[in-house]
Every structure is written in structure tokens, then in C-alpha cells.
């Protein structure tokens, strides 16, 4: 589903990603952990071309992301073509980014209506079903200001699912939540995993990674330091840097 070969990204003189090689199979849940500034979120943003890579190649579902290749050279796609690629990639951010003037239902149905040109009645029905799926069927007419942080994040997940993505990216989706609200968001993500959704999750929730993840990646300094099955990496990390990090968070 996702293949990354030698992906590099820099901001000015700061090298944030230094050659990321990873593969994510269809239906796999990959959890990415690491200290702040290690490049985790930047890598996620490169997958849907919110950040342009400086070197390497990224494929999603067999398609080169953001570029077409001719004669061994990359040529950047037009913005409309990039937007079309993003339709297959759902992304959930730390901050919920809901439209404050729209109800939960309107937030979820907006993209299918505006981007996919789905009739409003059909989009409304699908949005209602998605809110039920994330446990918020009774909050369809509520505005973001009337919802808790956990509820807002669940609306954000439903909104991403409304585009019927093949891949879901989660950028520390629980880090902005009060501790007692974290569980309700993780439960929705667990159910997505059970349903077979391909997911890449940047997270600090080690219990979620251990329980739900198929693979665990530890990043530091813009490189993949260690990768393996979550239970094995968490219980018996092979690299000293991974050991040092986990000793502080477990």
C-alpha cells in the first residue's frame, strides 16, 4: 500500500528525513514512535504530499505520490492531480480542524459533496452512518464547540473516512486530548484496524501500538533506527537508542 525508498526532506539547512525506506502492506497497522523532532510527522505529511520530498520516491497504492517519472527524472504533478491522489488518503491531525460553523454531520458530508460531487441527500445519509460508526449518532446536529475534544476527534475520523480512503494516516491523534478522553478515540481506531483499514499511526500510546499494531517503527534523527513486531520491539529493543527512549516512556 505504501512504499518509501530513500525519502529525504530538508527545511533549509535542517535535514529532517535522511533516507527513509519503509513498506506498509494492505491491511497493515504500522505504528511510528520516537522523540519530538525525529521526523515522524514530516514523513506522514510527505505521504500525501503536504510536504514535497527532496530526494527518493514514495508510492501509495502503486502510484508515485506527487510526481510522474519520465526518463529517470521526476516531474511534479499539477495541484489538481495531487488533490486527486489525496482522495485515497485520509489524514487525522493532532488538532481536529473542524469547521466551527458546521454541525458534526455537515463537517462529515462536506468533502464528499464538494470534492466527489455526491448528491447532498446521499452524502447526508452516509455521514450519519459514519457518525454512528464512531459512536456519535446522537451528536449529528451538534457544533464543534458543543463537543468534547474526544468527540471532536471522532468527528474528524468520520470526516476522513467519508472520502472512502484506501489509507488512513494518524498524526498523534490523542496528544491534544485530556487523558480520560484518549480511550474513546483509540477504540474507534481499534475497530478500523479490525475492519482491515491500512493505517500509519504516529503515536505515544505504547499500549495501542502493542495491542493493535502489526509493525512498530522507531525513528530518531530523521532515520529509521529499528523496526519489528510491536511486542518484540517494546519488550526487547535491539538498539541502544531505542532502549534509551523506551526506558523513559514505558
Amino acid at each position: 500500500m505504501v512504499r518509501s525508498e530513500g525519502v529525504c526532506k530538508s527545511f533549509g539547512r535542517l535535514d529532517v528525513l535522511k533516507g527513509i525506506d519503509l513498506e506498509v502492506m494492505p491491511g497493515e497497522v504500522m505504528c511510528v514512535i520516537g522523540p519530538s523532532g525525529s521526523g515522524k510527522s514530516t514523513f506522514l505529511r510527505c505521504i500525501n504530499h503536504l510536504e514535497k520530498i527532496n530526494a527518493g520516491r514514495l508510492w501509495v497504492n502503486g502510484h508515485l505520490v506527487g510526481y510522474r517519472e519520465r526518463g529517470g527524472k521526476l516531474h511534479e504533478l499539477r495541484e489538481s492531480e495531487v488533490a486527486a491522489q489525496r482522495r485515497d488518503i485520509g489524514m487525522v491531525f493532532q488538532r481536529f480542524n473542524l469547521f466551527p460553523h458546521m454541525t458534526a454531520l455537515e463537517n462529515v458530508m462536506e468533502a464528499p459533496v464538494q470534492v466527489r460531487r455526491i448528491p447532498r441527500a446521499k452524502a447526508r445519509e452516509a455521514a450519519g452512518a459514519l457518525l454512528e460508526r464512531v459512536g456519535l449518532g446522537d451528536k449529528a446536529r451538534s457544533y464543534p464547540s458543543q463537543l468534547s475534544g474526544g468527540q471532536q476527534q471522532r468527528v474528524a475520523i468520520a470526516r476522513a473516512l467519508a472520502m472512502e480512503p484506501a489509507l488512513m494516516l494518524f498524526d498523534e491523534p490523542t496528544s491534544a486530548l485530556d487523558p480520560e478522553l484518549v480511550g474513546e478515540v483509540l477504540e474507534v481506531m481499534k475497530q478500523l484496524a479490525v475492519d482491515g483499514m491500512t493505517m500509519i499511526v504516529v503515536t505515544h500510546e505504547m499500549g495501542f501500538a502493542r495491542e493493535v499494531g502489526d509493525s512498530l517503527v522507531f525513528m530518531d534523527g530523521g532515520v529509521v533506527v529499528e523496526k519489528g513486531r510491536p511486542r518484540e520491539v517494546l519488550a526487547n529493543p535491539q538498539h541502544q537508542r531505542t532502549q534509551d527512549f523506551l526506558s523513559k516512556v514505558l
Side-chain angles (χ1 to χ4, degrees):
M1 182 63 76
V2 180
R3 183 154 58 100
S4 170
E5 289 185 357
V7 167
C8 296
K9 173 64 182 177
S10 59
F11 296 100
R13 295 183 179 180
L14 179 64
D15 294 326
V16 179
L17 300 176
K18 304 173 184 176
I20 303 295
D21 297 311
L22 284 174
E23 285 191 353
V24 183
M25 304 303 291
E28 180 178 347
V29 179
M30 175 181 283
C31 293
V32 184
I33 63 173
S36 178
S38 58
K40 310 183 300 296
S41 294
T42 298
F43 179 61
L44 272 199
R45 293 172 66 84
C46 288
I47 292 173
N48 63 1
H49 207 58
L50 287 175
E51 298 290 354
K52 300 175 184 179
I53 63 177
N54 299 116
R57 302 283 192 278
L58 262 171
W59 291 265
V60 172
N61 222 3
H63 300 288
L64 196 60
V65 174
Y67 302 90
R68 67 169 49 87
E69 192 165 2
R70 272 199 229 104
K73 291 186 177 181
L74 293 182
H75 301 270
E76 190 161 359
L77 297 178
R78 295 193 300 270
E79 186 56 39
S80 60
E81 295 172 302
V82 173
Q85 288 186 331
R86 287 197 187 114
R87 294 177 196 175
D88 292 331
I89 307 171
M91 188 159 185
V92 178
F93 301 87
Q94 297 179 38
R95 298 291 173 181
F96 325 122
N97 298 330
L98 299 177
F99 296 116
H101 62 291
M102 293 183 179
T103 64
L105 187 74
E106 290 166 342
N107 264 282
V108 176
M109 62 185 284
E110 181 70 5
V113 169
Q114 298 297 333
V115 179
R116 296 179 62 202
R117 304 300 181 192
I118 290 177
R120 292 192 72 84
K122 184 177 180 182
R124 183 178 292 109
E125 182 180 351
L130 283 169
L131 287 174
E132 290 282 357
R133 184 176 176 184
V134 299
L136 292 174
D138 61 335
K139 300 293 185 182
R141 297 187 179 183
S142 298
Y143 289 90
S145 62
Q146 299 170 315
L147 301 174
S148 71
Q151 290 170 335
Q152 289 185 62
Q153 191 62 294
R154 285 187 280 158
V155 174
I157 292 172
R159 181 179 59 182
L161 292 173
M163 292 295 285
E164 301 181 359
L167 169 69
M168 284 284 284
L169 308 176
F170 292 87
D171 187 7
E172 299 187 17
T174 60
S175 65
L177 300 178
D178 292 333
E180 66 267 23
L181 301 178
V182 168
E184 63 190 57
V185 174
L186 294 182
E187 277 303 316
V188 171
M189 295 169 63
K190 289 176 187 177
Q191 190 56 53
L192 288 179
V194 170
D195 294 343
M197 175 63 74
T198 309
M199 298 157 60
I200 304 178
V201 184
V202 172
T203 184
H204 295 295
E205 301 293 337
M206 300 302 163
F208 175 85
R210 183 186 291 109
E211 180 183 347
V212 182
D214 298 300
S215 57
L216 182 66
V217 172
F218 173 65
M219 287 180 64
D220 188 37
V223 300
V224 173
V225 177
E226 189 162 350
K227 179 180 183 293
R229 294 191 171 276
R231 292 178 186 273
E232 294 172 6
V233 174
L234 293 173
N236 187 28
Q238 299 300 300
H239 293 262
Q240 184 63 48
R241 182 65 189 95
T242 317
Q243 294 171 18
D244 292 344
F245 174 77
L246 291 176
S247 70
K248 293 180 175 69
V249 299
L250 290 179

